[in-house]
Short mmCIF file of all heavy atoms in Angstrom, two decimals:
data_model
loop_
_atom_site.label_atom_id
_atom_site.label_comp_id
_atom_site.label_asym_id
_atom_site.label_seq_id
_atom_site.Cartn_x
_atom_site.Cartn_y
_atom_site.Cartn_z
N ARG F 1 0.83 -1.20 0.00
CA ARG F 1 0.00 0.00 0.00
C ARG F 1 0.87 1.26 0.00
O ARG F 1 0.60 2.21 -0.74
CB ARG F 1 -0.94 0.00 1.21
CG ARG F 1 -2.01 1.07 1.12
CD ARG F 1 -3.09 0.99 2.19
NE ARG F 1 -3.33 -0.33 2.70
CZ ARG F 1 -3.21 -0.68 4.00
NH1 ARG F 1 -2.87 0.21 4.90
NH2 ARG F 1 -3.46 -1.91 4.39
N VAL F 2 1.91 1.26 0.82
CA VAL F 2 2.83 2.41 0.87
C VAL F 2 3.48 2.62 -0.49
O VAL F 2 3.54 3.75 -1.00
CB VAL F 2 3.90 2.21 1.97
CG1 VAL F 2 5.05 3.19 1.82
CG2 VAL F 2 3.25 2.32 3.35
N LEU F 3 3.97 1.54 -1.09
CA LEU F 3 4.62 1.65 -2.41
C LEU F 3 3.62 2.10 -3.48
O LEU F 3 3.91 2.99 -4.28
CB LEU F 3 5.27 0.32 -2.80
CG LEU F 3 6.45 -0.11 -1.94
CD1 LEU F 3 6.87 -1.54 -2.29
CD2 LEU F 3 7.62 0.85 -2.11
N ALA F 4 2.44 1.50 -3.49
CA ALA F 4 1.43 1.85 -4.49
C ALA F 4 1.00 3.31 -4.35
O ALA F 4 0.83 4.01 -5.35
CB ALA F 4 0.23 0.92 -4.38
N ASP F 5 0.84 3.78 -3.12
CA ASP F 5 0.44 5.18 -2.90
C ASP F 5 1.50 6.14 -3.45
O ASP F 5 1.17 7.25 -3.88
CB ASP F 5 0.22 5.46 -1.42
CG ASP F 5 -1.06 4.83 -0.90
OD1 ASP F 5 -1.88 4.34 -1.70
OD2 ASP F 5 -1.22 4.80 0.35
N ALA F 6 2.76 5.71 -3.45
CA ALA F 6 3.84 6.55 -3.96
C ALA F 6 4.12 6.28 -5.44
O ALA F 6 5.02 6.90 -6.02
CB ALA F 6 5.11 6.31 -3.15
N GLY F 7 3.38 5.34 -6.04
CA GLY F 7 3.64 4.98 -7.44
C GLY F 7 4.96 4.26 -7.60
O GLY F 7 5.55 4.27 -8.67
N ALA F 8 5.43 3.60 -6.53
CA ALA F 8 6.71 2.90 -6.56
C ALA F 8 6.50 1.41 -6.77
O ALA F 8 5.48 0.85 -6.36
CB ALA F 8 7.47 3.15 -5.26
N GLU F 9 7.46 0.79 -7.38
CA GLU F 9 7.42 -0.65 -7.66
C GLU F 9 8.22 -1.41 -6.61
O GLU F 9 9.21 -0.92 -6.10
CB GLU F 9 7.98 -0.92 -9.06
CG GLU F 9 7.86 -2.36 -9.53
CD GLU F 9 6.43 -2.84 -9.59
OE1 GLU F 9 5.67 -2.40 -10.46
OE2 GLU F 9 6.06 -3.70 -8.76
N TRP F 10 7.77 -2.61 -6.31
CA TRP F 10 8.50 -3.56 -5.44
C TRP F 10 9.31 -4.44 -6.38
O TRP F 10 8.77 -5.17 -7.20
CB TRP F 10 7.50 -4.39 -4.66
CG TRP F 10 8.04 -5.45 -3.76
CD1 TRP F 10 9.16 -6.21 -3.92
CD2 TRP F 10 7.45 -5.90 -2.54
NE1 TRP F 10 9.31 -7.09 -2.90
CE2 TRP F 10 8.27 -6.91 -2.03
CE3 TRP F 10 6.31 -5.53 -1.84
CZ2 TRP F 10 7.98 -7.59 -0.84
CZ3 TRP F 10 6.03 -6.20 -0.66
CH2 TRP F 10 6.86 -7.21 -0.17
N ILE F 11 10.62 -4.36 -6.30
CA ILE F 11 11.50 -5.16 -7.17
C ILE F 11 11.73 -6.51 -6.52
O ILE F 11 12.38 -6.60 -5.48
CB ILE F 11 12.86 -4.48 -7.39
CG1 ILE F 11 12.70 -3.09 -7.97
CG2 ILE F 11 13.74 -5.35 -8.28
CD1 ILE F 11 14.00 -2.32 -8.06
N PRO F 12 11.23 -7.59 -7.12
CA PRO F 12 11.58 -8.89 -6.58
C PRO F 12 13.01 -9.26 -6.98
O PRO F 12 13.45 -8.99 -8.09
CB PRO F 12 10.58 -9.84 -7.25
CG PRO F 12 10.08 -9.13 -8.44
CD PRO F 12 10.28 -7.66 -8.21
N PHE F 13 13.74 -9.82 -6.03
CA PHE F 13 15.08 -10.34 -6.30
C PHE F 13 14.95 -11.85 -6.15
O PHE F 13 14.96 -12.39 -5.05
CB PHE F 13 16.08 -9.76 -5.31
CG PHE F 13 17.53 -10.08 -5.63
CD1 PHE F 13 17.89 -10.69 -6.81
CD2 PHE F 13 18.52 -9.76 -4.73
CE1 PHE F 13 19.23 -10.97 -7.10
CE2 PHE F 13 19.85 -10.02 -5.00
CZ PHE F 13 20.20 -10.64 -6.18
N ASP F 14 14.78 -12.53 -7.28
CA ASP F 14 14.52 -13.97 -7.28
C ASP F 14 15.84 -14.74 -7.20
O ASP F 14 16.57 -14.84 -8.18
CB ASP F 14 13.74 -14.35 -8.54
CG ASP F 14 13.36 -15.83 -8.56
OD1 ASP F 14 13.76 -16.58 -7.65
OD2 ASP F 14 12.67 -16.23 -9.51
N THR F 15 16.09 -15.30 -6.03
CA THR F 15 17.29 -16.10 -5.80
C THR F 15 16.92 -17.57 -5.58
O THR F 15 17.76 -18.35 -5.11
CB THR F 15 18.07 -15.58 -4.58
OG1 THR F 15 17.21 -15.61 -3.43
CG2 THR F 15 18.58 -14.16 -4.80
N THR F 16 15.69 -17.94 -5.88
CA THR F 16 15.25 -19.31 -5.58
C THR F 16 16.06 -20.36 -6.33
O THR F 16 16.35 -21.42 -5.77
CB THR F 16 13.75 -19.48 -5.88
OG1 THR F 16 13.49 -19.15 -7.24
CG2 THR F 16 12.90 -18.60 -4.96
N THR F 17 16.46 -20.09 -7.56
CA THR F 17 17.27 -21.05 -8.31
C THR F 17 18.65 -21.21 -7.67
O THR F 17 19.16 -22.32 -7.55
CB THR F 17 17.39 -20.62 -9.78
OG1 THR F 17 16.09 -20.63 -10.36
CG2 THR F 17 18.30 -21.53 -10.57
N LEU F 18 19.24 -20.11 -7.25
CA LEU F 18 20.55 -20.17 -6.60
C LEU F 18 20.52 -21.07 -5.37
O LEU F 18 21.42 -21.86 -5.15
CB LEU F 18 21.01 -18.77 -6.21
CG LEU F 18 22.32 -18.72 -5.41
CD1 LEU F 18 23.51 -19.12 -6.29
CD2 LEU F 18 22.53 -17.35 -4.80
N PHE F 19 19.45 -20.95 -4.58
CA PHE F 19 19.40 -21.67 -3.31
C PHE F 19 18.73 -23.04 -3.40
O PHE F 19 18.50 -23.68 -2.37
CB PHE F 19 18.72 -20.80 -2.25
CG PHE F 19 19.53 -19.61 -1.84
CD1 PHE F 19 19.09 -18.33 -2.11
CD2 PHE F 19 20.76 -19.77 -1.22
CE1 PHE F 19 19.85 -17.22 -1.74
CE2 PHE F 19 21.53 -18.69 -0.85
CZ PHE F 19 21.07 -17.40 -1.11
N GLN F 20 18.43 -23.53 -4.60
CA GLN F 20 17.79 -24.84 -4.74
C GLN F 20 18.70 -25.98 -4.32
O GLN F 20 18.24 -27.02 -3.88
CB GLN F 20 17.34 -25.08 -6.18
CG GLN F 20 16.01 -24.49 -6.49
CD GLN F 20 15.60 -24.75 -7.93
OE1 GLN F 20 16.41 -25.06 -8.79
NE2 GLN F 20 14.32 -24.62 -8.19
N SER F 21 19.99 -25.81 -4.52
CA SER F 21 20.94 -26.86 -4.16
C SER F 21 22.27 -26.21 -3.80
O SER F 21 22.51 -25.05 -4.15
CB SER F 21 21.11 -27.84 -5.33
OG SER F 21 21.58 -27.17 -6.47
N PRO F 22 23.14 -26.93 -3.10
CA PRO F 22 24.40 -26.34 -2.65
C PRO F 22 25.23 -25.77 -3.80
O PRO F 22 25.13 -26.22 -4.94
CB PRO F 22 25.13 -27.51 -1.98
CG PRO F 22 24.03 -28.45 -1.58
CD PRO F 22 22.97 -28.30 -2.65
N PRO F 23 26.06 -24.78 -3.49
CA PRO F 23 26.89 -24.15 -4.52
C PRO F 23 27.91 -25.13 -5.10
O PRO F 23 28.34 -26.06 -4.43
CB PRO F 23 27.59 -23.01 -3.78
CG PRO F 23 27.44 -23.29 -2.33
CD PRO F 23 26.27 -24.20 -2.17
N THR F 24 28.25 -24.88 -6.37
CA THR F 24 29.19 -25.75 -7.07
C THR F 24 30.45 -25.02 -7.53
O THR F 24 31.25 -25.60 -8.25
CB THR F 24 28.50 -26.40 -8.30
OG1 THR F 24 28.06 -25.36 -9.17
CG2 THR F 24 27.32 -27.27 -7.88
N SER F 25 30.60 -23.75 -7.16
CA SER F 25 31.77 -22.98 -7.56
C SER F 25 32.05 -21.91 -6.50
O SER F 25 31.22 -21.64 -5.65
CB SER F 25 31.52 -22.30 -8.92
OG SER F 25 30.57 -21.26 -8.76
N ASP F 26 33.21 -21.30 -6.61
CA ASP F 26 33.54 -20.20 -5.70
C ASP F 26 32.56 -19.04 -5.85
O ASP F 26 32.15 -18.43 -4.87
CB ASP F 26 34.97 -19.72 -5.92
CG ASP F 26 36.02 -20.71 -5.43
OD1 ASP F 26 35.67 -21.60 -4.61
OD2 ASP F 26 37.18 -20.60 -5.88
N ALA F 27 32.18 -18.73 -7.09
CA ALA F 27 31.24 -17.62 -7.32
C ALA F 27 29.89 -17.92 -6.69
O ALA F 27 29.27 -17.04 -6.08
CB ALA F 27 31.09 -17.36 -8.82
N GLU F 28 29.42 -19.16 -6.82
CA GLU F 28 28.14 -19.52 -6.20
C GLU F 28 28.26 -19.51 -4.68
O GLU F 28 27.35 -19.05 -3.99
CB GLU F 28 27.67 -20.89 -6.70
CG GLU F 28 27.16 -20.86 -8.12
CD GLU F 28 26.61 -22.20 -8.58
OE1 GLU F 28 26.67 -23.20 -7.82
OE2 GLU F 28 26.11 -22.26 -9.72
N ARG F 29 29.37 -19.98 -4.13
CA ARG F 29 29.56 -19.94 -2.67
C ARG F 29 29.54 -18.49 -2.17
O ARG F 29 28.94 -18.19 -1.15
CB ARG F 29 30.87 -20.63 -2.28
CG ARG F 29 30.74 -22.13 -2.11
CD ARG F 29 32.01 -22.78 -1.59
NE ARG F 29 33.00 -22.98 -2.63
CZ ARG F 29 32.93 -23.88 -3.60
NH1 ARG F 29 31.89 -24.69 -3.66
NH2 ARG F 29 33.88 -24.00 -4.50
N ASP F 30 30.19 -17.61 -2.91
CA ASP F 30 30.20 -16.20 -2.53
C ASP F 30 28.78 -15.61 -2.59
O ASP F 30 28.36 -14.90 -1.68
CB ASP F 30 31.13 -15.42 -3.47
CG ASP F 30 31.30 -13.98 -3.06
OD1 ASP F 30 31.66 -13.73 -1.88
OD2 ASP F 30 31.07 -13.09 -3.91
N ALA F 31 28.04 -15.94 -3.64
CA ALA F 31 26.66 -15.45 -3.77
C ALA F 31 25.80 -15.98 -2.62
O ALA F 31 24.93 -15.26 -2.11
CB ALA F 31 26.07 -15.86 -5.11
N TRP F 32 26.03 -17.21 -2.20
CA TRP F 32 25.26 -17.79 -1.09
C TRP F 32 25.43 -16.97 0.18
O TRP F 32 24.53 -16.90 1.00
CB TRP F 32 25.71 -19.23 -0.84
CG TRP F 32 24.83 -20.26 -1.49
CD1 TRP F 32 24.48 -20.30 -2.80
CD2 TRP F 32 24.22 -21.37 -0.86
NE1 TRP F 32 23.69 -21.39 -3.04
CE2 TRP F 32 23.51 -22.06 -1.86
CE3 TRP F 32 24.21 -21.86 0.43
CZ2 TRP F 32 22.78 -23.21 -1.60
CZ3 TRP F 32 23.49 -23.01 0.69
CH2 TRP F 32 22.77 -23.67 -0.31
N THR F 33 26.59 -16.37 0.37
CA THR F 33 26.84 -15.61 1.60
C THR F 33 26.32 -14.18 1.52
O THR F 33 26.14 -13.55 2.54
CB THR F 33 28.34 -15.57 1.94
OG1 THR F 33 29.04 -14.84 0.93
CG2 THR F 33 28.91 -16.97 2.09
N LYS F 34 26.07 -13.69 0.31
CA LYS F 34 25.73 -12.27 0.13
C LYS F 34 24.31 -12.00 -0.33
O LYS F 34 23.80 -10.89 -0.15
CB LYS F 34 26.69 -11.63 -0.88
CG LYS F 34 28.12 -11.61 -0.38
CD LYS F 34 29.04 -11.02 -1.41
CE LYS F 34 30.47 -10.99 -0.89
NZ LYS F 34 31.40 -10.58 -1.92
N LYS F 35 23.67 -12.95 -0.97
CA LYS F 35 22.36 -12.70 -1.57
C LYS F 35 21.24 -13.08 -0.61
O LYS F 35 21.36 -14.01 0.18
CB LYS F 35 22.20 -13.47 -2.88
CG LYS F 35 23.28 -13.17 -3.91
CD LYS F 35 23.39 -11.69 -4.22
CE LYS F 35 24.49 -11.43 -5.22
NZ LYS F 35 24.78 -10.04 -5.39
N PRO F 36 20.11 -12.38 -0.70
CA PRO F 36 18.99 -12.68 0.21
C PRO F 36 18.30 -13.98 -0.16
O PRO F 36 18.15 -14.31 -1.34
CB PRO F 36 18.05 -11.49 -0.01
CG PRO F 36 18.32 -11.06 -1.41
CD PRO F 36 19.79 -11.30 -1.63
N ARG F 37 17.90 -14.70 0.84
CA ARG F 37 17.17 -15.95 0.65
C ARG F 37 15.70 -15.64 0.96
O ARG F 37 15.25 -15.76 2.09
CB ARG F 37 17.72 -17.02 1.58
CG ARG F 37 17.26 -18.41 1.24
CD ARG F 37 17.85 -19.42 2.21
NE ARG F 37 19.28 -19.53 2.05
CZ ARG F 37 19.93 -20.66 1.85
NH1 ARG F 37 19.27 -21.80 1.77
NH2 ARG F 37 21.24 -20.67 1.73
N VAL F 38 14.98 -15.18 -0.05
CA VAL F 38 13.58 -14.81 0.13
C VAL F 38 12.73 -15.54 -0.91
O VAL F 38 13.23 -15.95 -1.96
CB VAL F 38 13.38 -13.27 -0.02
CG1 VAL F 38 14.07 -12.54 1.12
CG2 VAL F 38 13.88 -12.76 -1.35
#
């Protein structure tokens, strides 16, 4: 409601694919520590 009243958009940050299974690289391990799990 607050965002809509201001004409602002809620940006989804979809990390569900990243967190489906354990990381397989250094880059994925780093992303696991920094990205939101929502």
Side-chain angles (χ1 to χ4, degrees):
R1 191 172 332 121
V2 165
L3 293 171
D5 287 349
E9 186 60 71
W10 178 328
I11 303 173
F13 188 8
D14 183 356
T15 58
T16 57
T17 297
L18 175 69
F19 291 115
Q20 276 180 340
S21 59
T24 59
S25 70
D26 288 342
E28 287 183 357
R29 274 186 280 287
D30 186 54
W32 263 53
T33 65
K34 295 178 179 173
K35 304 305 179 189
R37 193 180 293 233
V38 294

